[in-house]
Amino acid sequence: MTSVHPSRAFRPRLGAAGRHRLARVTKWRPGVKEIRLDRLLLGGQNGLTAQQFAGVVDDPLWPSRRVVDGPHAELLRRARRSQHAGRELTTEDILASSYAEMALACIRHTGSYFEAVDADGVLAQARRFVARASDPSAPVVAGHQHSAPGLPVLVVPVESSECYQVLDGHHRVAAMAEAGVESVPARVRRGVVRTPLQELLQEMSWLDGGHELYQPIDAPEVASWPTVRRCTDRLESIWAFLVRSDMPAGSGASYLDVASCYGWFVSRMQELGFEAEGIERDPLGARLGSLMYGLDPARIRTGDAVQLLRSAQRRWDVVSCFSLLHHFVLGRGDCTDVELVQLLDSVTGKVLFLDTGQEHEHWFRKSLRGWDTDHVREYLLANTTFDRVVDLGPDSDDVAPYAGNYGRHLFACVRD
Ligand SMILES: C[S@@+](CC[C@H](N)C(=O)[O-])C[C@H]1O[C@@H](n2cnc3c(N)ncnc32)[C@H](O)[C@@H]1O
């Protein structure tokens, strides 16, 4: 690799001529596929697989991150910013970058990062990369372990997604992104890999290993998985009801979501100012909530809702329990359905939000016969101490792939 001082060599973006030149130096080969840069995810480093690297740096979302959002691209953005500011990329800039953090982690765990074996080596490596990024057609200096700039990057498909994990070529991908290129030629290796996030989601007991999400998760490799429950519709109804009824809304009011799944409602209610907590049977719920929504895992009590509610010594201002009651109606709970709603009643200070499976849903047309909207409302009034039960209307989840199901009404059970 040529070593060009970054202050002289770094050009922030290639214009049309530059992109044309980049295309010319790219060596097209059979079996090579053009892949959009936003579909390329970070892979392993320095001989460690992506999973292993994610483990050693304790960052399970490493393989879920796009290369264009990763450390290589971050270093180039720093270089561009310093060039725009009319100054050189300093040693401090480089050492503060996630690129240096990644390289030093490789050195700690494998002994080297390309030729670098210490911080000085990382600085030199980073400067060479910045220089090369400004001149993609520059020849590679013999002895350097980088692949030539024109070679297709090597990728492997990520299971059940439109994404690919980069096996070789992170620097090239980041440089192309910085140059404004939108896709790269890539050689696609046989087989598929799964990311740690995909594994966690599939291990979650409720979805039985399916390629779908129950609540919204923002990660590129699950972007094509259907999200069973939109959730934003229910949250909007809840918030609008609390505000118009002058109920506890944020400002430190307490909130408990029973059967919180990944913790989407806990995290959103926390953002709205509630002291929010959840109860979830699957221990992966707390882990996923922490990873995906930044929730403190201690906010999710892991265990069976019935036992935890029975032993609760307090009330929460606002409680929700979504899509759990019908499992008890169908005899799958540790107590009767009536006992469950009574437990929910006993821990609710002001308002309980609840939805449940209903008879209009294709999969419950026989098993929940009679459970229409009026029945659910009357059932809640008859079996709890709430003063009013308000029907807030159906959810918007009656869509593919589960069209004919959902459209469950959300009820607010209120203590006046
Ligand atoms: C159908 S999902 C509903 C998720 C969420 N309430 C929603 O509507 O978006 C059911 C969730 O409840 C959890 N769950 C089922 N039975 C439970 C129980 N007895 N105690 C605690 N959680 C339970 C499951 O693990 C799963 O995450």
Side-chain angles (χ1 to χ4, degrees):
M1 186 196 289
T2 48
S3 183
V4 183
H5 196 277
S7 63
R8 186 160 56 80
F10 189 76
R11 274 191 301 272
R13 284 200 168 257
L14 292 186
R19 280 198 288 275
H20 181 68
R21 186 163 58 99
L22 191 65
R24 266 195 295 114
V25 299
T26 299
K27 297 183 182 71
W28 290 89
R29 299 185 170 194
V32 169
K33 178 176 173 174
E34 194 73 13
I35 299 180
R36 273 176 30 194
L37 290 190
D38 61 359
R39 297 203 170 147
L40 294 176
L41 308 185
L42 292 172
Q45 301 295 318
N46 240 47
L48 296 173
T49 64
Q51 290 263 17
Q52 289 167 334
F53 188 72
V56 300
V57 293
D58 194 20
D59 180 6
L61 293 183
W62 170 272
S64 300
R65 204 163 297 133
R66 294 183 173 95
V67 178
V68 296
D69 297 325
H72 311 74
E74 195 242 340
L75 181 67
L76 297 183
R77 279 197 300 276
R78 277 179 185 263
R80 170 157 43 96
R81 280 199 301 273
S82 58
Q83 196 202 32
H84 284 173
R87 62 176 185 81
E88 292 184 11
L89 193 63
T90 63
T91 298
E92 291 71 33
D93 284 334
I94 297 175
L95 290 179
S97 70
S98 53
Y99 183 84
E101 201 182 317
M102 166 191 69
L104 291 169
C106 285
I107 292 171
R108 271 196 310 281
H109 293 284
T110 69
S112 66
Y113 181 67
F114 291 92
E115 288 77 21
V117 292
D118 55 21
D120 284 346
V122 169
L123 285 170
Q125 157 73 24
R127 290 193 189 285
R128 278 197 299 272
F129 169 41
V130 169
R132 165 78 70 72
S134 71
D135 184 7
S137 60
V140 181
V141 174
H144 284 277
Q145 297 165 18
H146 282 283
S147 305
L151 274 182
V153 300
L154 180 65
V155 300
V156 61
V158 175
E159 186 182 88
S160 305
S161 84
E162 296 177 329
C163 294
Y164 297 82
Q165 187 176 89
V166 173
L167 299 175
D168 178 40
H170 291 87
H171 291 86
R172 279 167 284 160
V173 171
M176 297 228 209
E178 187 61 20
V181 173
E182 286 177 0
S183 62
V184 287
R187 184 175 297 287
V188 181
R189 208 195 66 184
R190 267 207 298 270
V192 287
V193 289
R194 276 202 302 168
T195 66
L197 173 63
Q198 287 181 325
E199 281 175 3
L200 276 178
L201 287 165
Q202 290 187 290
E203 278 166 28
M204 186 102 185
S205 54
W206 198 255
L207 290 175
D208 245 356
H211 293 142
E212 58 185 24
L213 308 170
Y214 199 84
Q215 297 181 330
I217 294 271
D218 183 16
E221 77 274 33
V222 295
S224 60
W225 293 17
T227 303
V228 179
R229 307 304 299 272
R230 184 171 302 189
C231 296
T232 47
D233 51 347
R234 288 181 285 168
L235 183 69
E236 277 163 23
S237 298
I238 289 171
W239 184 248
F241 180 81
L242 290 174
V243 170
R244 76 170 172 267
S245 319
D246 214 11
M247 294 268 168
S251 311
S254 55
Y255 168 71
L256 174 71
D257 186 26
V258 178
S260 52
C261 200
Y262 312 152
W264 189 90
F265 284 97
V266 180
S267 112
R268 299 306 285 264
M269 291 293 267
Q270 183 171 277
E271 280 167 24
L272 288 169
F274 284 89
E275 280 295 319
E277 294 171 76
I279 287 179
E280 169 55 51
R281 189 170 57 185
D282 192 325
L284 293 180
R287 179 143 170 71
L288 278 163
S290 150
L291 270 184
M292 299 315 303
Y293 312 131
L295 264 181
D296 176 358
R299 293 209 161 262
I300 309 294
R301 295 162 197 228
T302 299
D304 182 70
V306 174
Q307 282 171 23
L308 291 173
L309 292 174
R310 273 186 190 141
S311 59
Q313 301 286 317
R314 57 165 290 191
R315 287 183 164 199
W316 286 260
D317 298 317
V318 179
V319 175
S320 59
C321 182
F322 302 129
S323 298
L324 184 66
L325 177 60
H326 57 277
H327 296 285
F328 286 68
V329 174
L330 297 172
R332 300 181 198 140
D334 276 359
C335 66
T336 65
D337 50 284
V338 169
E339 196 181 341
L340 176 67
V341 289
Q342 286 171 345
L343 282 168
L344 292 167
D345 181 1
S346 70
V347 299
T348 302
K350 197 70 187 160
V351 53
L352 165 70
F353 293 98
L354 183 142
D355 71 8
T356 184
Q358 296 187 213
E359 74 165 354
H360 68 264
E361 297 178 66
H362 183 72
W363 46 35
F364 296 134
R365 62 194 187 285
K366 289 191 183 135
S367 55
L368 288 182
R369 186 159 288 159
W371 283 79
D372 61 13
T373 304
D374 282 346
H375 173 77
V376 180
R377 208 180 72 78
E378 280 155 22
Y379 168 94
L380 290 171
L381 266 178
N383 291 297
T384 63
T385 62
F386 294 107
D387 299 303
R388 291 181 290 136
V389 175
V390 184
D391 176 7
L392 300 180
D395 66 50
S396 333
D397 299 315
D398 180 359
V399 291
Y402 296 118
N405 296 295
Y406 299 107
R408 295 174 187 167
H409 282 238
L410 178 63
F411 295 92
C413 310
V414 184
R415 240 181 265 301
D416 287 324

